[in-house]
Amino acid sequence: MNINELLGESLFFGMVLTLIAYKIGFSIQQKWKKVFLNPMLIAVVLIIGFLLLTGISYETYAYGAKNLSYFLTPVTVCLAVPLYRQLQVLKKNLAAILISISIGCLVHGAVVLAVLAAFGIEEKQLINSLLPKSVTTAVALGISSEIGGIQGITVIGVMIAGICGAVLGPVLLKLVRVTEPVAQGLAIGSASHAVGTSKAIELGEIQAAMSSLAIVVTGMLTVVIVPWIVSLMG
């Protein structure tokens, strides 16, 4: 019996490996305090390396790791706590918040189309797979399925958007001198969903609240905007 057969029926192998890899990544970030040492990015690298070294297939790992997805909903709901605490900030900036997130959703789609066009990629199924990249996995998969995308590619796009937002988001905001906490939170949340929001929480409670709000509103708007973009493309 090879290792894939041995672990193939395990409900815990993938989950335990993921948690250990993330813990290592988190410890490394806490020790060196570098922006690029994002725990999720480190975890991804460690898991890929482990699977390659041991010869364990992705399917074997994913069988147990998929159970972690059940925690996505309650974790996302918990992000409403900082939003509730900053309710007055939300009410005060409601119009600006809705306008900025709406523009952000349109820009997300435009950037995907522009980048793919720059590389000469015109395959409709691939384009449809990447258009929902800036919303949470559950919403992105639903949109991808509806418009005929490839869900595996959609997941990769969501992951890349999240990690890039968490690692590069604060740096880019500093470079363009965006210092307003509300704007920082909206930018990170609308571009990189829950993964980016984990970084926004480190920046401050207002940033965390606005990033949490951006996740929800971006998800709702993307459900409408992405199919509209697809219909315009024919």
Side-chain angles (χ1 to χ4, degrees), residues 134-164:
S134 292
V135 296
T136 57
T137 303
V139 177
L141 289 177
I143 298 172
S144 178
S145 176
E146 179 184 341
I147 62 179
I150 303 171
Q151 294 195 342
I153 295 178
T154 300
V155 171
I156 293 173
V158 171
M159 183 182 299
I160 292 174
I163 292 176
C164 287

Side-chain angles (χ1 to χ4, degrees), residues 196-209:
T197 300
S198 66
K199 186 63 180 180
I201 292 173
E202 298 177 16
L203 300 179
E205 188 166 280
I206 294 178
Q207 288 92 330

Side-chain angles (χ1 to χ4, degrees), residues 81-131:
V81 175
L83 178 60
Y84 176 77
R85 291 175 178 171
Q86 299 296 329
L87 199 57
Q88 292 303 317
V89 177
L90 168 60
K91 292 178 179 178
K92 182 179 178 181
N93 300 278
L94 184 59
I97 289 171
L98 293 177
I99 292 172
S100 62
I101 295 177
S102 299
I103 293 174
C105 289
L106 291 171
V107 171
H108 295 161
V111 168
V112 169
L113 295 177
V115 171
L116 293 178
F119 284 93
I121 299 173
E122 299 179 354
E123 186 179 347
K124 186 175 181 180
Q125 192 174 31
L126 181 58
I127 295 172
N128 293 351
S129 303
L130 293 174
L131 282 173

